[in-house]
Amino acid sequence: MPNLWLLNGGIVVALVLGTLIGGIAAYNGTPYTIDRANGLVDLAAATNNLTETVADLNQTLAILEPFHGNPNPVFATSHTDYDLVKKQISTTIQAALAVLPLGPSSFAYQQALKNVQSDLTTTVEGELHDISGIILFWSFTIWAIIAWISGFLAVVVAYAFWGDQ
């Protein structure tokens, strides 16, 4: 007769380790990509050169290109909609390009730089963070629920076959 407590303990340990590994695997997909895009937005907001800002934002759009729609299946908002975030980044790029020919010494250039930095830090960074968080939550939660249901069923089967021996 196998030791049922040892079997169940092994299943629980496997579930806990599997959940941790699943969390890391869930982050390595889309959330990591979105965090990379958010890092570029952070760089764009930190510079005092609109040319660099536009270059960083173009890289951000390139990273976000394959993503469309809203990844949040429950309580979806405009803050977690890829297409709206990309549209906002494109609008910011156009605003920067409009004043770029004026040069850094002009008042309009400096004002546009402040507006772009403010827009990026108060809106776009937060929205990308929200998207990353919601994707991580759903991918990890679904994976964890499946894993724990499988573990529970394994315990039930173990008791059914070896519980009364």
Side-chain angles (χ1 to χ4, degrees):
M1 173 170 118
N3 187 340
L4 197 57
W5 289 107
L6 183 60
L7 176 66
N8 290 336
I11 291 171
V12 170
V13 168
L15 284 173
V16 170
L17 289 175
T19 302
L20 291 174
I21 292 168
I24 293 168
Y27 178 75
N28 280 333
T30 304
Y32 174 71
T33 303
I34 302 303
D35 282 348
R36 280 184 35 234
N38 205 8
L40 287 168
V41 170
D42 209 17
L43 285 174
T47 185
N48 286 324
N49 182 331
L50 284 177
T51 304
E52 291 176 18
T53 298
V54 168
D56 290 337
L57 292 178
N58 280 328
Q59 286 181 344
T60 302
L61 283 178
I63 289 173
L64 296 177
E65 182 58 36
F67 303 107
H68 298 283
N70 201 322
N72 191 359
V74 181
F75 305 118
T77 67
S78 62
H79 297 288
T80 55
D81 189 312
Y82 285 117
D83 297 318
L84 292 176
V85 172
K86 289 190 288 188
K87 183 178 178 182
Q88 185 171 6
I89 293 171
S90 294
T91 302
T92 302
I93 290 171
Q94 294 308 314
L97 289 174
V99 297
L100 200 57
L102 300 176
S105 59
S106 81
F107 176 76
Y109 181 98
Q110 292 301 320
Q111 189 61 44
L113 179 64
K114 286 182 184 179
N115 292 344
V116 165
Q117 289 171 335
S118 174
D119 183 44
L120 293 176
T121 56
T122 59
T123 308
V124 176
E125 282 182 351
E127 290 170 349
L128 288 174
H129 180 72
D130 290 348
I131 289 172
S132 176
I134 204 70
I135 292 171
L136 184 60
F137 172 78
W138 283 110
S139 60
F140 177 74
T141 300
I142 290 169
W143 189 94
I145 288 171
I146 291 169
W148 282 89
I149 287 173
S150 301
F152 177 74
L153 290 176
V155 170
V156 169
V157 168
Y159 271 108
F161 285 108
W162 297 297
D164 291 332
Q165 292 182 3

